[in-house]
Amino acid sequence: MVKISSKKGFSLFEAALVMLIAAVFIVVMASVFPHKPKPKAQAEAHGRFECYYVGNSLKYRTVVQGNVGSEQTSNASDALGKYCEFVPSRFARYLIIDAVGGGSGGAGSGSVQSMGGSAGVFSSSFFATPMTSYRLYPGKGGAVDHNTDASAGGTTYVVGYKDASNRETLMEVLGGSFLGSLATSNVDDIDSCRITKTTSLEYYNCGSYPKCELINDKIEISYCRRQDVYRTVPYDFHIRPGDSEDKKLDTIGDNKCTTRTSELNKWVYRDISVWRDWKKSPVFNYGNPNPCPTDANLNDMDKPSLFTMELLMKVPDTITNAGEDSDMYTFVKAMHYGGNIVTVKPGNGGALNSAGSAGAVVVMW
Amino acid sequence: MFGCLDRKDLKKYNAYTMAEMLLVMAIIAVVMLSLPKATKKMFRMESVRSNHARYECYWENNVLKQYTVTETLGGGAVKDGPVVASTRSGYDDVCVFNPPDNTPYIILHAVGGGGGGVEVYDTLQGKETNTALAYFNKEETDLWPDWFSSSGVQNFAFTTSNSAADNYHKKVKDIKYYEADSIYNSQSVRYRPSGSAGTLKSLFFPNLPAGARLIMMPGKGGAVGSARSQTVSLSGGAGARTVVRLLYSGADLASCKSKTKTTDNDCNNGCCDLIVAEGGKGGDTLTHDGARIDSKQSVMLTGGQPRDYDISNYSSVMEKQSGFSMVLANDSDVEDLQTHVDSRAGNGGNGGNQYVTDTAGDIIYELNDYDGIIGGGMVYGTKWKTLSQEVSPNIYANSHCTHGSVSGTVWAKRRGYCIPAFSVCFIGNIKLTPGTIPGMACNDATKCASFELDFSGSTPNVIPKSGATGNYRYCQYDTTNQGISCEEKVTSGTTHHCTATAVGSQGHKCASGATPENNKVCKARAGGDGAVVILW
């Protein structure tokens, strides 16, 4: 017979008590374990897709977690032009799209001015919900400026696709304008305006001087119409393809009396349009070939000009004879992206006698 | 016998009973039930996302500061700073930002310093009294104040006293003609231009290169341009550009921050411009060709601020917004989360300005409804309505004026509303024409019952008859239109008053609401300093 009792063992009560205490420990530890050091956070799986021109060839390249893919050529095109097709990773939590328009061309032999071209507009956008696919259309660089509209850089487009039939233009980024040309300029390109001459007669100025301001995308001229009437006239700044250079400043009337000067970026405009509020139907003809007034007409009440105004175009410190650097070029260079996206200097204005650089798009996640 | 125990023999041994075994199993069950709770918590992955945070680099009283605020998972925030980086000016001042690891993205906003406004220590001219009839002449609709043009009046056939005679002759029915007379006091307002805002630039990117830091040099705002009198060219100071640079590991901070602009070689050596946000221009009142370009003048109607009436564009004096305030998170209820960046960051400073508030005037708008008027008799037959009863929206909606009622005597100039019916004023076959029969008056009872015409002089003299004397004045005869014009005492039209409380002895006031210094100048402001905000 086996004697299974032992005087040296724990009693059942003792064993149960131990287990009970152990159970309490485990329960307590359940609230202690989570306070152990967290696992080190892992880095985001960042990457980027670059779309740019090398010459007339549209290229693209993908870089994921530092792994640089090979440069590919895209021959796809549609009505908007050549494009790169980009399909985001399904793991991408967001997309950042940077785009720059084409740079404008630098001055050529046919240009009155002598300076480099301006950079394309740069835009950086954040998209929290990536779409199914994207088409990226970098704008082309502007040609050498010979006082033609062709010197403006091309517009860069980014179009997103939810599906094959559901598309949306997400970005439309303008190209650069040659700052010495009204043909490709807008009010934002004007640094300042100033009235340099004005009729001294009491018919208009009431002893005060007209004032010129750049406000709300317009050139506003304020003057005394007569003693009890002060007026502010907003001048739109219209660009009309096909207009010659001296007709690029469109006023409230149809008077386009703006001429370039030999000074860098200075334009002179002589006004007659405000006579519309003085004479009901002024039809002035100053004679061919120049239909516009001269300074001599300032006090000529039969063929008057209210004032002579100078428009001084912006010449930022960043623009030189070598052309203006774009914000996109500054960015990709600073980030040490390397490759042709840096080499081609996307969006930069052209140097003297050189075309502007084409635009580019960089998608990041 | 081994393995064969009698039930009663069990009591002889120290073995577990079934109840004891069940107790043990119950305890084990408790332990097992608690284990998953512990193990699951032990091995559950915590979120790897870094907390969102905001970093700011900004000027505060000419001291460059930086400040970081980080959210906590449980809500609220942890702040770090402010840290005084330097008290020196210019490019010696920099903020240095070390990006945290594992940021899902980085958003960077930078704005250049705004340009300064201009002020001139000069006196104002006194208030004047004018009429606005010129504005409302239908032949010069482009002279109407913008606020009036937008009132919807132009959608109606609008006439003035100068042309009412024509309308009378037309005797058009079912078309309402409006007649407006305006009597008001005005004040020529002088104000100087503001500076322009600094450029705002924004940049998104997923992360910074490993080991790289951002250094920031926010530009200062331009100073105010001020002069005792405007006899020389005057301009506010330009705002300085704001520069953000990438400083790679191993690159020298002192060398990098000292550069005005980095070159390709600098960038290859680890010091790269990332964002350059240009500063704004200063306000400008240049003198050209020896002529004095005075500050802009505007005529305002009484009581309200010039911008309410917009005869001249008042916006030139106002502070120019850079838009940077839109990127500042200043609406948080949590103190630590609120931005430290001035809301004026990058703004162009306002120009000096003055206007008068203690003048009081009346603006009278009346509707002359010609419906049903047949053959004249308009002196007594005209129905008057207030324009505000007919026009929507209320033309006073954006002004400080209040609707009022008739107070005292108001004279409204009207011409041609009484046309002597010469066609019936004959003596024999002699038609009454001016000067034909001296001393003879046209006294048509049905059409011009209130007046007599005295042709004794070279110019017909209009004489209000008894009973009309007190209601008409300055009556004249228009030989061209063969009509009588007078100023009529308005008693049935509503008069709208625009009044304001006088400020100071002359009632001059600044756009900011402050009282100008000695009634002469309201201070211009310097441009807002540049700033940089980084979000992740």
Side-chain angles (χ1 to χ4, degrees):
Chain A
M1 173 171 289
V2 178
K3 187 175 182 179
I4 58 177
S5 67
S6 173
K7 296 294 183 184
K8 294 180 181 179
F10 295 119
S11 69
L12 176 60
F13 176 77
E14 290 167 338
L17 183 61
V18 169
M19 294 179 68
L20 190 60
I21 293 173
V24 171
F25 271 127
I26 291 174
V27 171
V28 171
M29 286 169 69
S31 61
V32 174
F33 285 143
H35 293 287
K36 284 188 175 181
K38 299 173 184 175
K40 187 175 182 180
Q42 299 299 309
E44 294 284 329
H46 294 305
R48 67 178 185 272
F49 179 87
E50 305 164 348
C51 178
Y52 50 89
Y53 274 100
V54 177
N56 287 321
S57 180
L58 187 62
K59 305 290 186 182
Y60 63 91
R61 186 178 74 159
T62 303
V63 179
V64 178
Q65 289 292 82
N67 297 317
V68 180
S70 60
E71 184 180 72
Q72 306 288 321
T73 300
S74 174
N75 293 314
S77 66
D78 58 20
L80 281 178
K82 286 186 176 181
Y83 64 85
C84 302
E85 182 90 26
F86 169 69
V87 178
S89 164
R90 61 191 180 92
F91 298 110
R93 297 163 59 184
Y94 62 86
L95 290 181
I96 294 168
I97 303 180
D98 288 356
V100 65
S104 70
S109 58
S111 175
V112 176
Q113 311 294 350
S114 177
M115 61 188 300
S118 58
V121 175
F122 173 75
S123 179
S124 180
S125 298
F126 185 93
F127 298 92
T129 306
M131 300 175 80
T132 303
S133 65
Y134 296 83
R135 288 184 180 180
L136 317 175
Y137 304 80
K140 296 300 293 289
V144 176
D145 183 86
H146 298 293
N147 293 344
T148 63
D149 292 344
S151 62
T155 302
T156 293
Y157 297 93
V158 175
V159 178
Y161 284 77
K162 294 179 181 176
D163 52 52
S165 59
N166 194 352
R167 52 177 280 172
E168 181 180 357
T169 299
L170 302 174
M171 300 174 74
E172 183 175 343
V173 186
L174 297 177
S177 56
F178 179 55
L179 297 177
S181 167
L182 289 186
T184 55
S185 300
N186 55 46
V187 171
D188 289 338
D189 293 324
I190 301 175
D191 182 64
S192 63
C193 59
R194 59 191 185 193
I195 308 294
T196 55
K197 291 183 173 63
T198 181
T199 176
S200 60
L201 301 181
E202 66 276 14
Y203 298 107
Y204 261 116
N205 298 319
C206 319
S208 65
Y209 217 80
K211 178 70 178 174
C212 158
E213 297 172 281
L214 301 172
I215 296 176
N216 299 330
D217 296 330
K218 294 181 184 298
I219 303 168
E220 291 194 352
I221 309 296
S222 299
Y223 61 98
C224 178
R225 167 70 164 72
R226 55 181 184 245
Q227 284 298 337
D228 59 346
V229 180
Y230 289 81
R231 291 295 299 164
T232 295
V233 181
Y235 288 68
D236 288 325
F237 192 80
H238 287 172
I239 302 302
R240 296 176 177 175
D243 277 357
S244 60
E245 278 301 309
D246 63 349
K247 294 183 178 179
K248 294 302 183 185
L249 181 63
D250 193 14
T251 69
I252 54 174
D254 291 322
N255 308 296
K256 311 173 186 70
C257 300
T258 312
T259 54
R260 270 182 170 177
T261 72
S262 58
E263 294 182 55
L264 185 65
N265 292 333
K266 180 186 290 185
W267 292 73
V268 171
Y269 169 75
R270 293 182 179 84
D271 177 86
I272 59 173
S273 61
V274 291
W275 279 93
R276 281 170 176 267
D277 68 26
W278 183 254
K279 300 288 186 181
K280 301 301 181 296
S281 302
V283 180
F284 298 119
N285 184 0
Y286 296 90
N288 292 319
N290 183 6
C292 295
T294 65
D295 287 346
N297 297 122
L298 284 173
N299 296 326
D300 180 352
M301 298 311 293
D302 292 326
K303 298 176 180 177
S305 173
L306 173 62
F307 56 80
T308 298
M309 176 174 64
E310 288 181 357
L311 300 175
L312 302 176
M313 311 303 285
K314 284 179 182 174
V315 185
D317 296 339
T318 49
I319 188 170
T320 65
N321 286 346
E324 184 183 27
D325 285 356
S326 73
D327 287 348
M328 174 68 94
Y329 175 57
T330 301
F331 173 70
V332 297
K333 185 173 62 173
M335 297 293 282
H336 286 183
Y337 278 177
N340 279 334
I341 188 69
V342 177
T343 306
V344 299
K345 301 182 177 179
N348 279 13
L352 282 173
N353 295 307
S354 299
S357 299
V361 180
V362 177
V363 183
M364 295 165 281
W365 61 91
Chain B
M1 185 80 179
F2 183 77
C4 183
L5 295 176
D6 185 273
R7 184 177 184 83
K8 61 183 179 183
D9 293 334
L10 288 175
K11 293 182 178 178
K12 298 177 180 177
Y13 304 101
N14 287 328
Y16 301 132
T17 66
M18 179 60 75
E20 291 167 339
M21 286 301 294
L22 289 174
L23 179 60
V24 170
M25 291 175 68
I27 294 173
I28 292 174
V30 170
V31 172
M32 293 181 68
L33 284 175
S34 65
L35 276 176
K37 189 176 179 182
T39 54
K40 283 184 179 178
K41 285 193 176 181
M42 283 178 62
F43 301 108
R44 188 178 65 181
M45 289 290 290
E46 291 294 333
S47 170
V48 298
R49 178 181 70 79
S50 298
N51 295 337
H52 288 300
R54 184 177 74 250
Y55 169 90
E56 299 175 342
C57 174
Y58 58 97
W59 290 98
E60 184 178 283
N61 298 326
N62 293 321
V63 176
L64 190 64
K65 294 185 175 181
Q66 51 188 354
Y67 172 76
T68 304
V69 56
T70 306
E71 68 167 3
T72 60
L73 290 177
V78 176
K79 62 180 178 179
D80 175 19
V83 178
V84 177
S86 172
T87 58
R88 294 170 297 175
S89 61
Y91 285 116
D92 287 340
D93 288 300
V94 295
C95 296
V96 179
F97 173 69
N98 294 296
D101 295 333
N102 310 318
T103 56
Y105 57 80
I106 294 174
I107 304 171
L108 198 158
H109 302 289
V111 66
V118 175
E119 65 185 21
V120 178
Y121 199 83
D122 202 357
T123 55
L124 278 174
Q125 60 190 77
K127 69 179 182 181
E128 302 168 347
T129 299
N130 293 308
T131 71
L133 288 175
Y135 303 145
F136 306 121
N137 188 310
K138 72 172 183 178
E139 302 297 333
E140 296 187 273
T141 53
D142 57 326
L143 291 181
W144 292 2
D146 294 340
W147 61 270
F148 189 80
S149 299
S150 62
S151 66
V153 177
Q154 68 274 17
N155 295 326
F156 297 88
F158 186 77
T159 71
T160 69
S161 52
N162 289 330
S163 55
D166 294 336
N167 299 322
Y168 171 78
H169 282 305
K170 293 173 184 174
K171 296 179 181 177
V172 177
K173 294 182 180 180
D174 301 324
I175 298 177
K176 294 178 179 179
Y177 292 92
Y178 294 92
E179 178 173 304
D181 289 296
S182 177
I183 304 170
Y184 64 92
N185 293 328
S186 68
Q187 170 65 47
S188 292
V189 181
R190 291 182 175 180
Y191 46 94
R192 275 77 185 182
S194 61
S196 62
T199 303
L200 171 61
K201 289 193 174 182
S202 298
L203 189 62
F204 298 79
F205 41 94
N207 57 352
L208 289 178
R213 294 178 291 169
L214 289 174
I215 61 174
M216 287 145 281
M217 293 159 278
K220 292 286 292 178
V224 168
S226 182
R228 300 293 298 181
S229 62
Q230 188 162 297
T231 57
V232 295
S233 297
L234 182 63
S235 61
R241 64 174 55 170
T242 291
V243 180
V244 180
R245 288 192 177 131
L246 261 177
L247 184 70
Y248 282 80
S249 177
D252 180 58
L253 172 62
S255 172
C256 187
K257 72 181 183 182
S258 66
K259 299 179 186 302
T260 303
K261 182 180 186 303
T262 62
T263 64
D264 288 353
N265 190 49
D266 293 330
C267 192
N268 291 335
N269 290 325
C271 173
C272 304
D273 280 348
L274 185 65
I275 288 181
V276 178
E278 297 291 339
K281 304 288 185 183
D284 183 6
T285 56
L286 293 175
T287 298
H288 301 288
D289 291 354
R292 174 185 173 185
I293 300 180
D294 200 355
S295 54
K296 194 173 178 180
Q297 290 191 334
S298 173
V299 174
M300 70 178 196
L301 299 185
T302 307
Q305 297 185 16
R307 60 174 174 269
D308 290 335
Y309 304 100
D310 206 25
I311 291 175
S312 187
N313 196 322
Y314 189 66
S315 65
S316 65
V317 71
M318 305 301 287
E319 178 143 325
K320 301 299 183 297
Q321 301 295 318
S322 68
F324 196 73
S325 59
M326 299 294 290
V327 305
L328 299 175
N330 207 19
D331 57 350
S332 173
D333 294 332
V334 181
E335 178 70 20
D336 292 341
L337 288 175
Q338 292 184 354
T339 182
H340 286 202
V341 181
D342 191 297
S343 60
R344 293 186 65 242
N347 285 1
N350 66 269
N353 58 86
Q354 302 156 299
Y355 61 92
V356 171
T357 61
D358 67 348
T359 55
D362 301 325
I363 308 173
I364 306 169
Y365 299 99
E366 297 168 323
L367 169 65
N368 190 355
D369 184 355
Y370 283 80
D371 284 1
I373 304 300
I374 300 174
M378 298 171 60
V379 170
Y380 300 111
T382 298
K383 292 183 293 184
W384 296 98
K385 296 179 181 177
T386 60
L387 186 64
S388 58
Q389 290 175 336
E390 295 293 321
V391 178
S392 180
N394 188 340
I395 60 175
Y396 304 103
N398 65 344
S399 78
H400 292 174
C401 301
T402 57
H403 283 236
S405 57
V406 172
S407 67
T409 300
V410 178
W411 293 90
K413 184 180 291 183
R414 294 174 185 151
R415 292 184 183 132
Y417 56 80
C418 176
I419 308 298
F422 287 121
S423 60
V424 297
C425 287
F426 287 87
I427 297 177
N429 293 325
I430 302 174
K431 180 181 179 181
L432 282 178
T433 54
T436 302
I437 304 176
M440 183 63 70
C442 172
N443 188 6
D444 184 273
T446 59
K447 297 184 173 64
C448 285
S450 297
F451 302 96
E452 290 180 348
L453 291 179
D454 177 4
F455 294 104
S456 58
S458 58
T459 303
N461 186 27
V462 181
I463 305 172
K465 295 174 63 177
S466 177
T469 305
N471 295 322
Y472 304 95
R473 67 181 187 181
Y474 307 142
C475 294
Q476 294 178 324
Y477 182 73
D478 183 344
T479 56
T480 301
N481 295 314
Q482 295 187 347
I484 297 173
S485 66
C486 301
E487 286 192 2
E488 180 188 22
K489 182 188 293 183
V490 176
T491 56
S492 58
T494 299
T495 303
H496 301 282
H497 295 268
C498 297
T499 60
T501 304
V503 179
S505 59
Q506 296 179 49
H508 294 157
K509 194 175 180 181
C510 302
S512 63
T515 301
E517 179 183 345
N518 297 323
N519 284 323
K520 289 184 176 179
V521 62
C522 297
K523 291 292 186 182
R525 297 186 77 177
D529 294 328
V532 179
V533 169
I534 301 173
L535 308 167
W536 66 92

